Amino acid sequence: MAVDDNTVRRIAHLARIRVTDEEVPHLRSELNAILDFVAQLDQVDVSGVEPMTSVLPMDLRQREDKVTDGGYADRIVANAPQSEDNYFVVPKVVE
Amino acid sequence: MTDLTRITLAQARDGLKARSFSATELTQAHLDAIEAAKALNAYVLVTPEKALDGAKAADARLAAGEAGPLEGIPLGIKDLFATEGVRTTACSRILENFVPSYESTVTAQLWRDGAVHLGKLNNDEFAMGSSNETSCFGPPVNPWRRTGSDTPLTAGGSSGGSSAAVAAGLALGATATDTGGSIRQPAAFTGTVGVKPTYGRCSRWGTVAFASSLDQAGTITRTVRDSAILLRSMAGFDPKDSTSVDRPVPDYEAAIGRSVKGLKIGIPKEYRLEGLSPEIDALWQRGADWLRDAGAEVVEVSLPHTSYALAAYYIVAPAEASSNLARYDGVRYGRRVPGKDIAELYENTRAEGFGREVKRRILIGTYVLSAGYYDAYYVKAQKIRTLIRRDFENVYAAGVDAILTPATPTPAFPIGQKVTSPIEMYLNDVFTVTVNMAGLPGIAVPAGLGGEGLPLGLQLIGRPFDEETLFALGEAIEQAAGRLDAPQWWG
């Protein structure tokens, strides 16, 4: 399953990473090298094997559904590149 | 007075209790050593005021007889652990100005127990790498050099700042994280001890996430005993991490010196790779002999799915990384590069903020999780993970207590040697990655110098939550091999 230039562009857009036209061929060959490397997994018979969903056998804990934290919006936005009145500021999204 | 930066963490603890020196003297000695070792690039941020304040408070508690288990011990912190009010970057441009308003659970427990914070240590960007060369601060330099050569060598990765600092006497111990070998490989490259505990043993809360089902915090120290002391403070249940395990933390130090007589040690035949260097093979053999001499029984075992672990890892880890790193969007924190709309803002920010290796892994991860490929790649890799874990379970069920392997296929290599080939770089993790895939504990212990005069390490892999057996066996190897100290050429 080799990727082509268009697939690289599509994946980069899905990942929200801008790539330039000059970067595409290089990324394509690197991604294909990695995909070739992982293709060895096709040799393994995994029929009847359950995928690992928990690293160690354990049930996911649940907690009571109540507010236990919060009330400090100023700290939440403290690292924002742009904020106003404790809101994050972004370019206009809705026309 | 003896050089306070060359004693062990245990000796420092005992010396502080006996009032042979003060925490302030001990901390100042380390700050001076850090200042003189800038050429090693181990620290990306030094916090002298915080360190001296902490030392002063420790001295007061020591005088009042209220000392915690790590009272006055100066430590370095990998820059992946969020530290309140202290810049935390994961060594990425995208987080270059991030100052957390909270403290990671692991570091909070260290300060609770009296440790002193020297500063933040270099690592590969988002812990993605095996030579610490992906850091936006440039790579740390290994305190070790080849005999008769001044070629700068890698301190390993991703915890290369931690390993370089500990090996060079710039901290009595360091925190580190391990997703595929990022504690054990740098430890092996620098003649230090690295412990990757069982998945769930240390809280992941407040640690910058790479691959959540593989990440685990651990220790790098100069001796096995020091790691036992440090891990006891770092480990423990944390309700804020949903995969943290609720079971008591044993006194790991009590396992040091425990007899290893009668323990059954497995030598996995699949780790005897074609082309394995004779030097590494001889080291492995010697390690088995040492444990046999200490009374352990050494048996050959089989872990048949070993050879698929690395390939499965390079699906699982990037997949989880692509998901975890989606949060870096230029809106809530970190670097922001403007765009004409929000999509372009995201794309510009992430293109400029992430380095090459991180982008490569995000793209691979996005691809294997994308529509039509999820089952073929991600689900398949998780099935192989089940098989890898089953291999270990079978060996342990047959009575094996721990498994002995080399820690790395080679000693430390020159900085710049492997950056052009991702696959070649990935092969560094061939002996360590299975441990993360199965969630098991592992320890890397120095086992002597190779022909080039560089440290080589052995790895022991244990049963889940049986770090104590690893400490007992690791100390037996340490006793037989002797400690390694890098000859000082810097400063």
Side-chain angles (χ1 to χ4, degrees):
Chain A
M1 285 186 268
V3 301
D4 56 20
D5 285 358
N6 278 334
T7 308
V8 171
R9 287 193 188 90
R10 187 175 60 84
I11 294 298
H13 180 64
L14 282 175
R16 296 294 184 268
I17 295 175
R18 177 177 49 78
V19 294
T20 62
D21 286 343
E22 299 84 76
E23 287 174 299
V24 168
H26 194 66
L27 279 170
R28 187 196 62 218
S29 70
E30 284 182 342
L31 296 190
N32 280 324
I34 296 168
L35 292 174
D36 284 348
F37 175 68
V38 304
Q40 58 179 288
L41 298 184
D42 294 341
Q43 299 159 17
V44 189
D45 180 8
V46 291
S47 48
V49 179
E50 285 293 315
M52 187 191 273
T53 49
S54 173
V55 184
L56 294 168
M58 64 187 287
D59 295 324
L60 211 52
R61 282 187 311 277
Q62 298 197 335
R63 66 170 177 85
E64 213 184 320
D65 185 15
K66 63 173 190 192
V67 176
T68 58
D69 198 2
Y72 41 77
D74 53 330
R75 278 167 63 196
I76 303 293
V77 300
N79 278 285
Q82 205 184 337
S83 68
E84 217 177 284
D85 299 333
N86 288 343
Y87 287 94
F88 297 112
V89 177
V90 295
K92 194 171 176 184
V93 175
V94 183
E95 289 301 327
Chain B
M1 202 196 307
T2 51
D3 183 349
L4 292 179
T5 66
R6 286 296 174 178
I7 58 176
T8 68
L9 191 157
Q11 287 166 341
R13 175 192 61 185
D14 299 345
L16 286 166
K17 283 217 179 94
R19 316 301 296 280
S20 310
F21 44 82
S22 69
T24 304
E25 288 167 320
L26 183 65
T27 295
Q28 190 59 55
H30 281 88
L31 291 171
D32 293 345
I34 293 167
E35 182 65 27
K38 287 204 164 137
L40 298 181
N41 199 26
Y43 281 84
V44 297
L45 182 73
V46 189
T47 53
E49 279 177 30
K50 203 174 179 61
L52 289 169
D53 285 352
K56 209 170 137 192
D59 279 326
R61 280 191 297 269
L62 282 157
E66 295 162 359
L70 293 174
E71 201 67 58
I73 300 294
L75 300 176
I77 303 299
K78 187 176 183 178
D79 207 20
L80 225 58
F81 293 87
T83 41
E84 188 176 354
V86 177
R87 190 192 68 180
T88 301
T89 67
C91 294
S92 177
R93 279 188 303 275
I94 211 158
L95 279 177
E96 60 196 346
N97 295 318
F98 181 61
V99 180
S101 61
Y102 54 90
E103 187 80 27
S104 83
T105 298
V106 161
T107 49
Q109 292 180 180
L110 295 175
W111 317 141
R112 173 201 68 198
D113 287 353
V116 169
H117 185 181
L118 290 169
K120 305 301 289 285
L121 294 163
N122 210 336
N123 50 252
D124 275 298
E125 184 179 4
F126 288 105
M128 297 181 195
S130 304
S131 63
N132 214 141
E133 289 167 284
T134 70
S135 163
C136 73
F137 298 101
V141 177
N142 196 324
W144 289 86
R145 291 167 157 183
R146 289 175 180 155
T147 311
S149 160
D150 58 7
T151 305
L153 304 178
T154 175
S158 66
S159 309
S162 302
S163 66
V166 171
L170 313 181
L172 288 173
T175 64
T177 62
D178 192 314
T179 303
S182 280
I183 290 176
R184 292 158 288 156
Q185 183 254 25
F189 278 7
T190 54
T192 56
V193 176
V195 176
K196 181 258 171 213
T198 312
Y199 186 77
R201 182 73 285 190
C202 293
S203 169
R204 290 180 296 107
W205 193 84
T207 310
V208 176
F210 164 11
S212 303
S213 76
L214 300 159
D215 296 344
Q216 186 60 207
T219 59
I220 292 185
T221 59
R222 288 202 283 276
T223 68
V224 176
R225 179 184 296 272
D226 289 357
S227 272
I229 295 169
L230 200 50
L231 184 60
R232 190 185 185 189
S233 287
M234 288 167 65
F237 174 62
D238 179 10
K240 287 188 284 193
D241 172 0
S242 62
T243 58
S244 168
V245 172
D246 191 1
R247 59 189 287 163
V249 179
D251 178 4
Y252 293 122
E253 195 180 1
I256 304 291
R258 196 163 84 180
S259 170
V260 302
K261 211 174 162 104
L263 290 181
K264 204 186 239 188
I265 309 301
I267 306 286
K269 59 180 185 197
E270 291 81 6
Y271 282 57
R272 194 157 283 122
L273 304 175
E274 208 168 317
L276 182 65
S277 93
E279 181 173 84
I280 299 288
D281 197 43
L283 171 90
W284 195 6
Q285 194 62 53
R286 203 156 61 231
D289 291 344
W290 286 332
L291 293 179
R292 210 180 277 118
D293 291 346
E297 182 193 351
V298 178
V299 295
E300 185 176 90
V301 298
S302 176
L303 299 166
H305 296 91
T306 298
S307 68
Y308 302 109
L310 203 55
Y313 174 84
Y314 275 96
I315 293 172
V316 174
E320 295 185 9
S322 76
S323 170
N324 272 326
L325 272 61
R327 73 190 69 183
Y328 303 104
D329 56 5
V331 173
R332 289 163 297 166
Y333 34 70
R335 178 182 283 236
R336 175 181 202 151
V337 181
K340 67 174 177 350
D341 53 24
I342 191 147
E344 203 182 275
L345 179 148
Y346 294 151
E347 294 192 349
N348 291 346
T349 296
R350 291 162 63 81
E352 198 177 294
F354 291 136
R356 279 176 57 116
E357 179 65 23
V358 171
K359 284 189 221 174
R360 186 152 56 214
R361 295 200 197 188
I362 290 175
L363 293 179
I364 277 286
T366 305
Y367 180 74
V368 300
L369 291 177
S370 64
Y373 295 104
Y374 180 79
D375 286 341
Y377 286 109
Y378 189 71
V379 174
K380 173 122 195 199
Q382 291 290 48
K383 287 180 178 174
I384 286 164
R385 225 175 142 181
T386 298
L387 294 172
I388 291 165
R389 184 173 68 194
R390 205 177 282 167
D391 286 352
F392 282 104
E393 284 168 353
N394 290 340
V395 165
Y396 292 138
V400 167
D401 296 289
I403 292 162
L404 179 73
T405 77
T408 56
T410 66
F413 48 86
I415 289 169
Q417 191 184 65
K418 297 189 182 181
V419 278
T420 50
S421 165
I423 301 290
E424 202 189 328
M425 189 66 93
Y426 296 171
L427 288 173
N428 265 289
D429 298 332
V430 68
F431 294 130
T432 48
V433 79
T434 50
V435 174
N436 303 77
M437 294 298 268
L440 300 172
I443 184 170
V445 185
L449 297 179
E452 297 169 311
L454 296 177
L456 300 171
L458 286 167
Q459 173 181 238
L460 287 154
I461 305 168
R463 298 165 181 264
F465 299 103
D466 190 13
E467 283 82 3
E468 287 160 288
T469 295
L470 297 186
F471 286 126
L473 288 164
E475 207 246 356
I477 290 179
E478 188 176 56
Q479 289 292 330
R483 262 184 63 199
L484 303 175
D485 272 314
Q488 185 162 342
W489 50 264
W490 61 92

